PDB file of all heavy atoms in Angstrom:
ATOM      1  N   ALA A 348     -17.815  14.185   5.686  1.00 98.00           N
ATOM      2  CA  ALA A 348     -18.932  13.710   4.857  1.00 98.00           C
ATOM      3  C   ALA A 348     -18.395  13.164   3.536  1.00 98.00           C
ATOM      4  O   ALA A 348     -18.839  12.110   3.060  1.00 98.00           O
ATOM      5  CB  ALA A 348     -19.919  14.850   4.619  1.00 98.00           C
ATOM      6  N   ALA A 349     -17.416  13.869   2.959  1.00 98.00           N
ATOM      7  CA  ALA A 349     -16.840  13.415   1.688  1.00 98.00           C
ATOM      8  C   ALA A 349     -16.112  12.088   1.888  1.00 98.00           C
ATOM      9  O   ALA A 349     -16.209  11.188   1.048  1.00 98.00           O
ATOM     10  CB  ALA A 349     -15.879  14.471   1.146  1.00 98.00           C
ATOM     11  N   CYS A 350     -15.404  11.949   3.012  1.00 98.00           N
ATOM     12  CA  CYS A 350     -14.701  10.686   3.300  1.00 98.00           C
ATOM     13  C   CYS A 350     -15.721   9.557   3.438  1.00 98.00           C
ATOM     14  O   CYS A 350     -15.580   8.496   2.820  1.00 98.00           O
ATOM     15  CB  CYS A 350     -13.896  10.801   4.598  1.00 98.00           C
ATOM     16  SG  CYS A 350     -12.441  11.850   4.459  1.00 98.00           S
ATOM     17  N   THR A 351     -16.739   9.795   4.233  1.00 98.00           N
ATOM     18  CA  THR A 351     -17.754   8.765   4.480  1.00 98.00           C
ATOM     19  C   THR A 351     -18.425   8.344   3.179  1.00 98.00           C
ATOM     20  O   THR A 351     -18.630   7.156   2.930  1.00 98.00           O
ATOM     21  CB  THR A 351     -18.808   9.289   5.482  1.00 98.00           C
ATOM     22  OG1 THR A 351     -18.111   9.742   6.650  1.00 98.00           O
ATOM     23  CG2 THR A 351     -19.795   8.206   5.876  1.00 98.00           C
ATOM     24  N   ALA A 352     -18.741   9.344   2.345  1.00 98.00           N
ATOM     25  CA  ALA A 352     -19.420   9.044   1.083  1.00 98.00           C
ATOM     26  C   ALA A 352     -18.577   8.125   0.196  1.00 98.00           C
ATOM     27  O   ALA A 352     -19.123   7.334  -0.576  1.00 98.00           O
ATOM     28  CB  ALA A 352     -19.732  10.345   0.347  1.00 98.00           C
ATOM     29  N   LYS A 353     -17.254   8.209   0.342  1.00 98.00           N
ATOM     30  CA  LYS A 353     -16.397   7.344  -0.488  1.00 98.00           C
ATOM     31  C   LYS A 353     -15.883   6.126   0.288  1.00 98.00           C
ATOM     32  O   LYS A 353     -15.002   5.411  -0.182  1.00 98.00           O
ATOM     33  CB  LYS A 353     -15.196   8.156  -1.008  1.00 98.00           C
ATOM     34  CG  LYS A 353     -15.545   8.991  -2.235  1.00 98.00           C
ATOM     35  CD  LYS A 353     -14.319   9.576  -2.904  1.00 98.00           C
ATOM     36  CE  LYS A 353     -13.531   8.580  -3.736  1.00 98.00           C
ATOM     37  NZ  LYS A 353     -12.351   9.155  -4.360  1.00 98.00           N
ATOM     38  N   GLY A 354     -16.428   5.932   1.487  1.00 98.00           N
ATOM     39  CA  GLY A 354     -16.029   4.764   2.280  1.00 98.00           C
ATOM     40  C   GLY A 354     -14.624   4.867   2.842  1.00 98.00           C
ATOM     41  O   GLY A 354     -13.981   3.861   3.156  1.00 98.00           O
ATOM     42  N   ILE A 355     -14.125   6.095   2.955  1.00 98.00           N
ATOM     43  CA  ILE A 355     -12.774   6.302   3.497  1.00 98.00           C
ATOM     44  C   ILE A 355     -12.866   6.454   5.017  1.00 98.00           C
ATOM     45  O   ILE A 355     -13.675   7.245   5.521  1.00 98.00           O
ATOM     46  CB  ILE A 355     -12.128   7.560   2.873  1.00 98.00           C
ATOM     47  CG1 ILE A 355     -11.959   7.358   1.361  1.00 98.00           C
ATOM     48  CG2 ILE A 355     -10.797   7.880   3.541  1.00 98.00           C
ATOM     49  CD1 ILE A 355     -11.638   8.641   0.601  1.00 98.00           C
ATOM     50  N   VAL A 356     -12.031   5.729   5.723  1.00 98.00           N
ATOM     51  CA  VAL A 356     -12.000   5.817   7.183  1.00 98.00           C
ATOM     52  C   VAL A 356     -11.154   7.035   7.573  1.00 98.00           C
ATOM     53  O   VAL A 356     -10.040   7.207   7.074  1.00 98.00           O
ATOM     54  CB  VAL A 356     -11.386   4.533   7.792  1.00 98.00           C
ATOM     55  CG1 VAL A 356     -11.126   4.701   9.281  1.00 98.00           C
ATOM     56  CG2 VAL A 356     -12.301   3.343   7.530  1.00 98.00           C
ATOM     57  N   ALA A 357     -11.704   7.892   8.440  1.00 99.00           N
ATOM     58  CA  ALA A 357     -10.951   9.064   8.929  1.00 99.00           C
ATOM     59  C   ALA A 357     -10.660   8.856  10.413  1.00 99.00           C
ATOM     60  O   ALA A 357     -11.530   8.425  11.175  1.00 99.00           O
ATOM     61  CB  ALA A 357     -11.765  10.332   8.724  1.00 99.00           C
ATOM     62  N   MET A 358      -9.426   9.135  10.799  1.00 98.00           N
ATOM     63  CA  MET A 358      -9.033   8.983  12.213  1.00 98.00           C
ATOM     64  C   MET A 358      -8.263  10.210  12.676  1.00 98.00           C
ATOM     65  O   MET A 358      -7.747  10.982  11.862  1.00 98.00           O
ATOM     66  CB  MET A 358      -8.102   7.769  12.398  1.00 98.00           C
ATOM     67  CG  MET A 358      -8.707   6.429  12.110  1.00 98.00           C
ATOM     68  SD  MET A 358      -7.531   5.116  12.554  1.00 98.00           S
ATOM     69  CE  MET A 358      -8.424   3.657  12.014  1.00 98.00           C
ATOM     70  N   ASN A 359      -8.165  10.367  13.995  1.00 98.00           N
ATOM     71  CA  ASN A 359      -7.233  11.329  14.582  1.00 98.00           C
ATOM     72  C   ASN A 359      -6.325  10.565  15.545  1.00 98.00           C
ATOM     73  O   ASN A 359      -6.429   9.330  15.642  1.00 98.00           O
ATOM     74  CB  ASN A 359      -7.981  12.481  15.272  1.00 98.00           C
ATOM     75  CG  ASN A 359      -8.758  12.026  16.495  1.00 98.00           C
ATOM     76  OD1 ASN A 359      -8.955  10.833  16.715  1.00 98.00           O
ATOM     77  ND2 ASN A 359      -9.221  12.971  17.287  1.00 98.00           N
ATOM     78  N   THR A 360      -5.441  11.268  16.208  1.00 98.00           N
ATOM     79  CA  THR A 360      -4.545  10.608  17.173  1.00 98.00           C
ATOM     80  C   THR A 360      -4.664  11.350  18.517  1.00 98.00           C
ATOM     81  O   THR A 360      -3.760  12.073  18.930  1.00 98.00           O
ATOM     82  CB  THR A 360      -3.073  10.637  16.693  1.00 98.00           C
ATOM     83  OG1 THR A 360      -2.615  11.991  16.643  1.00 98.00           O
ATOM     84  CG2 THR A 360      -2.898   9.999  15.336  1.00 98.00           C
ATOM     85  N   PRO A 361      -5.809  11.198  19.190  1.00 98.00           N
ATOM     86  CA  PRO A 361      -6.056  11.997  20.400  1.00 98.00           C
ATOM     87  C   PRO A 361      -4.995  11.805  21.486  1.00 98.00           C
ATOM     88  O   PRO A 361      -4.535  10.688  21.717  1.00 98.00           O
ATOM     89  CB  PRO A 361      -7.420  11.481  20.875  1.00 98.00           C
ATOM     90  CG  PRO A 361      -7.590  10.150  20.233  1.00 98.00           C
ATOM     91  CD  PRO A 361      -6.854  10.214  18.931  1.00 98.00           C
ATOM     92  N   GLY A 362      -4.615  12.921  22.088  1.00 98.00           N
ATOM     93  CA  GLY A 362      -3.687  12.873  23.225  1.00 98.00           C
ATOM     94  C   GLY A 362      -2.213  12.900  22.845  1.00 98.00           C
ATOM     95  O   GLY A 362      -1.368  13.210  23.690  1.00 98.00           O
ATOM     96  N   GLN A 363      -1.894  12.615  21.593  1.00 98.00           N
ATOM     97  CA  GLN A 363      -0.473  12.453  21.240  1.00 98.00           C
ATOM     98  C   GLN A 363       0.314  13.768  21.276  1.00 98.00           C
ATOM     99  O   GLN A 363       1.521  13.760  21.482  1.00 98.00           O
ATOM    100  CB  GLN A 363      -0.348  11.807  19.853  1.00 98.00           C
ATOM    101  CG  GLN A 363      -0.938  10.413  19.774  1.00 98.00           C
ATOM    102  CD  GLN A 363      -0.175   9.379  20.584  1.00 98.00           C
ATOM    103  OE1 GLN A 363       0.937   9.633  21.049  1.00 98.00           O
ATOM    104  NE2 GLN A 363      -0.757   8.208  20.785  1.00 98.00           N
ATOM    105  N   ASN A 364      -0.346  14.883  21.021  1.00 98.00           N
ATOM    106  CA  ASN A 364       0.404  16.150  21.065  1.00 98.00           C
ATOM    107  C   ASN A 364      -0.089  17.071  22.191  1.00 98.00           C
ATOM    108  O   ASN A 364       0.258  18.256  22.225  1.00 98.00           O
ATOM    109  CB  ASN A 364       0.370  16.861  19.702  1.00 98.00           C
ATOM    110  CG  ASN A 364      -1.047  17.153  19.235  1.00 98.00           C
ATOM    111  OD1 ASN A 364      -1.971  17.170  20.036  1.00 98.00           O
ATOM    112  ND2 ASN A 364      -1.218  17.395  17.945  1.00 98.00           N
ATOM    113  N   SER A 365      -0.865  16.517  23.109  1.00 98.00           N
ATOM    114  CA  SER A 365      -1.508  17.346  24.142  1.00 98.00           C
ATOM    115  C   SER A 365      -0.525  18.081  25.035  1.00 98.00           C
ATOM    116  O   SER A 365      -0.743  19.238  25.400  1.00 98.00           O
ATOM    117  CB  SER A 365      -2.403  16.487  25.034  1.00 98.00           C
ATOM    118  OG  SER A 365      -3.330  15.810  24.263  1.00 98.00           O
ATOM    119  N   ASN A 366       0.547  17.386  25.426  1.00 98.00           N
ATOM    120  CA  ASN A 366       1.471  18.035  26.363  1.00 98.00           C
ATOM    121  C   ASN A 366       2.098  19.279  25.739  1.00 98.00           C
ATOM    122  O   ASN A 366       2.256  20.311  26.404  1.00 98.00           O
ATOM    123  CB  ASN A 366       2.561  17.067  26.821  1.00 98.00           C
ATOM    124  CG  ASN A 366       3.388  17.683  27.925  1.00 98.00           C
ATOM    125  OD1 ASN A 366       2.897  17.940  29.019  1.00 98.00           O
ATOM    126  ND2 ASN A 366       4.638  18.000  27.632  1.00 98.00           N
ATOM    127  N   ALA A 367       2.440  19.178  24.451  1.00 98.00           N
ATOM    128  CA  ALA A 367       3.051  20.329  23.772  1.00 98.00           C
ATOM    129  C   ALA A 367       2.104  21.525  23.780  1.00 98.00           C
ATOM    130  O   ALA A 367       2.513  22.664  24.051  1.00 98.00           O
ATOM    131  CB  ALA A 367       3.411  19.947  22.333  1.00 98.00           C
TER     132      ALA A 367
END
Side-chain angles (χ1 to χ4, degrees):
C350 288
T351 306
K353 279 191 77 181
I355 297 167
V356 170
M358 295 186 184
N359 67 347
T360 65
Q363 298 292 348
N364 58 20
S365 304
N366 188 65

